Amino acid sequence: MTNHHQSTRGEPRVALVTCSAFPDLEDDDRLVLGPLAARGVAAEPVVWDDPAADWSAYDLVVLRSPWDYMSRRDAFVAWASSVPALVNPADVVTWNTDKRYLDQLSAAGVPTVPTTWVAPGEEWDLPADRGEYVLKPSVSAGSQDTGRYDLSDPGHRDLARAHVRRLGAAGRVTMVQPYLSAVDVAGETALLFVTGPDGLRFSHAIRKGALLTGPDLGMDGLYKPEEIAPRTATEEQLSVARRTLAAVPGGSDRLLYARVDLIPGADGDPVLVELELTEPSLFLGHGDGAADRLADAIVTHLARRPG
């Protein structure tokens, strides 16, 4: 690859954006360092809120694991808007860091988990169907502040109301979704896409086991240990994933990567639970050649930078 940056400044420099909890990157993200070096790209981790960071010194700034932004999303979005050469782009970050984007995707015809929203200060009317439900904030990651409630149980109903009040008191919007029990057997499927020469290309898929086992108690909730394994994506899952990506505002051709998380709906067909475009784990270690494909995607985006 030759471009203005390489010819005048030596090898391209790429910042891999992380947080203070992972100053040297999370283990899976480090898998891309060798492939990038082999392609003549100098990559280094940089903490997103480090005041000493000089973002203009990098030819590309790649969001990877800034996993502490959830409690200060406004600051994170403002930071993203100030960073040149950011991927995924800042407007995508703004849109994707609040899960109310699900309404927009649903309106575009993407099959999604049915979701209702409770704003701070609103009274929550419990669903007439006293089945199992998942409650979580609209700005969240990693199952934080997330709980599973059986609303046929009076104790769970009280805990669910307390969960909504707790989030509302913190100024957070609560999202309410039915718990789709097929996930207990089939798990969740994450489909990973990265840039290719002609736009986003499917890279690999993984299976995640069901995590939630009970209510969130204002601390860590109740979760099973995360179980990750490679998975072969079905044509139906790939079709839903591509429909989802086609509905991304501004087009998916600007994206470096995308992760589409699907679970079986009530009828067994795949439905979207989340579209991860900001800081998803890419599970590079679970797909043959995945780290090389991500490195190639980064090189492709470097080549797109103005010369």
Side-chain angles (χ1 to χ4, degrees):
M1 182 192 72
T2 59
N3 61 21
H4 170 75
H5 297 299
Q6 187 176 24
S7 62
T8 62
R9 296 169 51 182
E11 61 184 10
R13 294 186 66 199
V14 171
L16 301 176
V17 179
T18 183
C19 61
S20 58
F22 298 96
D24 297 317
L25 299 175
E26 185 266 340
D27 289 347
D28 193 68
D29 284 336
R30 281 197 287 272
L31 297 176
V32 78
L33 294 175
L36 283 173
R39 288 158 175 77
V41 177
E44 59 190 81
V46 189
V47 174
W48 74 271
D49 58 352
D50 180 354
D54 178 8
W55 302 106
S56 65
Y58 297 97
D59 301 293
L60 200 65
V61 178
V62 178
L63 287 163
R64 285 310 317 122
S65 49
W67 292 336
D68 59 357
Y69 76 83
M70 281 68 71
S71 63
R72 44 191 175 133
R73 174 178 174 264
D74 289 349
F76 181 70
V77 166
W79 165 83
S81 297
S82 74
V83 175
L86 183 73
V87 286
N88 286 327
D91 64 300
V92 171
V93 170
T94 301
W95 179 76
N96 188 239
T97 49
D98 188 322
K99 292 181 176 57
R100 284 177 285 188
Y101 67 75
L102 288 169
D103 280 353
Q104 186 172 338
L105 294 177
S106 179
V110 175
T112 63
V113 178
T115 307
T116 57
W117 314 90
V118 186
E122 287 185 349
E123 288 295 322
W124 178 42
D125 295 325
L126 271 70
D129 173 15
R130 292 293 195 255
E132 286 194 284
Y133 284 81
V134 174
L135 274 61
K136 59 184 173 182
S138 67
V139 178
S140 65
S143 297
Q144 295 178 15
D145 302 305
T146 300
R148 172 181 170 183
Y149 300 89
D150 180 354
L151 298 186
S152 67
D153 181 328
H156 274 223
R157 290 200 296 272
D158 289 342
L159 288 171
R161 291 189 184 98
H163 190 163
V164 173
R165 287 195 298 269
R166 186 167 62 249
L167 293 178
R172 306 174 79 182
V173 173
T174 303
M175 54 192 298
V176 181
Q177 297 177 319
Y179 186 80
L180 300 178
S181 60
V183 74
D184 291 332
V185 176
E188 182 177 316
T189 301
L191 293 88
L192 290 304
F193 293 77
V194 295
T195 291
D198 54 357
L200 281 183
R201 287 185 171 183
F202 175 66
S203 171
H204 60 290
I206 60 97
R207 178 193 187 276
K208 294 194 291 181
L211 289 177
L212 293 174
T213 62
D216 176 78
L217 302 177
M219 297 174 288
D220 294 327
L222 294 174
Y223 314 109
K224 299 177 183 177
E226 192 168 52
E227 299 174 355
I228 307 295
R231 167 166 274 178
T232 300
T234 67
E235 285 302 318
E236 190 176 23
Q237 289 169 335
L238 288 166
S239 175
V240 172
R242 291 180 177 125
R243 288 167 59 190
T244 301
L245 295 172
V248 172
S252 63
D253 57 324
R254 303 180 299 147
L255 304 177
L256 172 67
Y257 54 70
R259 196 183 91 196
V260 183
D261 293 347
L262 305 176
I263 60 176
D267 58 1
D269 293 338
V271 296
L272 179 74
V273 61
E274 287 194 42
L275 171 61
E276 298 269 14
L277 304 179
T278 303
E279 32 63 37
S281 294
L282 297 177
F283 306 110
L284 300 178
H286 294 274
D288 290 342
D292 286 292
R293 287 190 289 275
L294 179 59
D296 286 337
I298 289 171
V299 169
T300 296
H301 274 261
L302 281 166
R304 293 179 182 175
R305 302 302 304 166

